[in-house]
Amino acid sequence: MNYTNDTWQANRWPNFSFAELACQETGECRMDPLTMDRLQMLRSQYGQPIVISSGYRSPEHSIEAAKEQPGTHAKGRAIDIACAGVDAYKILTEALVVGFTGIGVGQTGEKRFLHLDDLGPSSHSVPRPSIWSY
């Protein structure tokens, strides 16, 4: 579904807004509802605000368009969370518990983050669960 601000399910995902998950270049938001449910469970388990640095990315988004095939963000199945240090560790731990199977760890430089996605083993070329670093 292509969500709009009016159709965003704020009662289902009370800790996240349409604006923070929509594509930063096109404004579209085709987040997978089950991924959002998992993200909401993560937020509930973590018990503190989570800052989304990247949610849905349209296939036309410059990052996705540069790829051979659009990635998990373009499928609405990935989220990048701005976090570092102990917070990154706590979020990573809870992310595994709630069922995220792809964890990318970017913990160098100024823009530290975790990439979380939930594609199953048959949907990806890398066996799941999988953790990698940037």
Side-chain angles (χ1 to χ4, degrees):
M1 172 171 194
N2 187 12
Y3 293 101
T4 65
N5 199 43
D6 293 334
T7 61
W8 183 252
Q9 297 181 31
N11 59 333
R12 185 172 174 180
W13 311 306
N15 296 110
F16 301 98
S17 70
F18 166 81
E20 67 187 317
L21 275 298
C23 179
Q24 296 169 1
E25 292 184 8
T26 68
E28 291 177 276
C29 187
R30 296 179 184 270
M31 288 301 298
D32 178 79
L34 298 177
T35 300
M36 286 304 304
D37 289 346
R38 191 166 275 127
L39 179 63
Q40 184 60 53
M41 284 190 296
L42 171 63
R43 168 58 177 82
S44 296
Q45 292 290 100
Y46 180 56
Q48 298 178 47
I50 291 176
V51 177
I52 306 297
S53 57
S54 185
Y56 178 74
R57 289 188 204 137
S58 164
E60 290 79 35
H61 186 285
S62 57
I63 292 173
E64 299 300 323
K67 297 177 180 178
E68 192 173 305
Q69 293 183 9
T72 52
H73 284 276
K75 295 174 182 164
R77 305 276 310 264
I79 300 101
D80 291 348
I81 297 173
C83 59
V86 173
D87 290 324
Y89 177 79
K90 289 178 181 177
I91 291 170
L92 184 149
T93 302
E94 295 298 337
L96 291 169
V97 170
V98 301
F100 283 103
T101 60
I103 313 280
V105 180
Q107 292 295 300
T108 59
E110 291 185 31
K111 293 187 178 184
R112 295 171 186 233
F113 70 99
L114 291 176
H115 164 97
L116 307 176
D117 69 50
D118 65 348
L119 292 179
S122 62
S123 303
H124 207 275
S125 60
V126 177
R128 297 293 180 108
S130 182
I131 297 178
W132 63 91
S133 64
Y134 294 96

